Amino acid sequence: MPLRCAVLDDFQQVATTLADWSPIAEDVEVVSFGVHFDNEDALAAALAEFDIVVTLRERVPFPASLFERLPRLRLLIASGMRNSVIDYAAAEAHGVTVCGTASSSTPPVELTWALLLGLARGIVRESDSLRSGGPWQSTVGVDLCGRRLGLLGLGKIGSRVAQVGHAFGMRVSAWSQNLSEERAAEVGVERAGSKEDLLAGSDFVSIHLALSDRTRGLIGAREFGLLKPTAYLVNTSRSAIVDQDALLDALRAGRIAGAGVDVFDIEPLPADHPMRTAPRLLATPHLGYVSQDNYRTYYGQAVENIRAYLAGSPVRQLP
């Protein structure tokens, strides 16, 4: 009997076409799920008969309680080499090997700029108006050249966002709790003296920080009060870095010009979630990592991980 492999959250139904699964076809039956299981009971029931699970990013938690309900599970593959929602100790205790894959920083950089440009030039509103027979030109775009781009975080993604900002002629500054003058100078950006200075002086603020105890709730009501009323906030990192209620209040009250958001406190976003109807919001359904090349890497390396596991020599093990 072949082993059974479940691929979770394959919303576009491309997992088996963007990679070559034929090397394991004789040993593994692959089943992809195009729907999200939003509670542990549903997930445990769906995965009960699977030996291998491929999970996408950090959308599906694997706590100890879930491992206890999946005695058949032997291999868990997560896209990316960092996953904060897997209980690694529980995986080890239940004899489950956990492996990751490479993940490119290019797609989130590109999506960051798609959101920022969409906000600055009113792309969605103008496109909808044109297609529906609405008014011809109803917005006046915001220029990027000469404006201040403030980056919260200057790691792999933040530094590439900075490069694009320079190409647009923007003045770029950055801040994080560990950012040094040397690192800022290396990337060619100004190091803000404080988070408050960065927020108060920026026309666009983009978040590129990892979620941790130090960054959770980093932007709240007080911070929104520091932003210019003409400023825009972009978050393609993690939703919990921004207090979601404070963000909604700022958008509804017009305390900022707008926000571009790709990450949410609940994913997929429920139909009645207030983020779906918030004013001044350009929102996308967590597309930061969703690109053809990234998916080819995720699923292609998932196949490699399965082959290596079956050969008794697991690769890319986590954590």
Side-chain angles (χ1 to χ4, degrees), residues 4 35 42 44 47-48 55 64 96 119 142 146 163 178 190 194 261 279 288:
R4 302 192 74 213
V35 297
L47 299 182
T55 182
V96 179
L119 288 168
V142 177
Q163 293 174 350
N178 296 324
E190 300 175 28
S194 66
V261 174

Side-chain angles (χ1 to χ4, degrees), residues 104-116 155-165 206 208 234 236 287-289:
S104 173
S105 62
T106 298
V109 171
E110 294 174 351
L111 185 73
T112 294
W113 280 100
L115 290 172
L116 196 152
K156 186 183 298 184
I157 295 175
S159 60
R160 296 184 68 179
V161 171
Q163 293 174 350
V164 179
S206 190
H208 303 288
V234 176
T236 57
L287 298 177
Y289 60 88

Side-chain angles (χ1 to χ4, degrees), residues 24 75 302-316:
I24 60 171
L75 175 63
V303 174
E304 293 174 3
N305 290 348
I306 294 170
R307 291 186 72 187
Y309 174 81
L310 295 178
S313 301
V315 294
R316 306 186 188 95

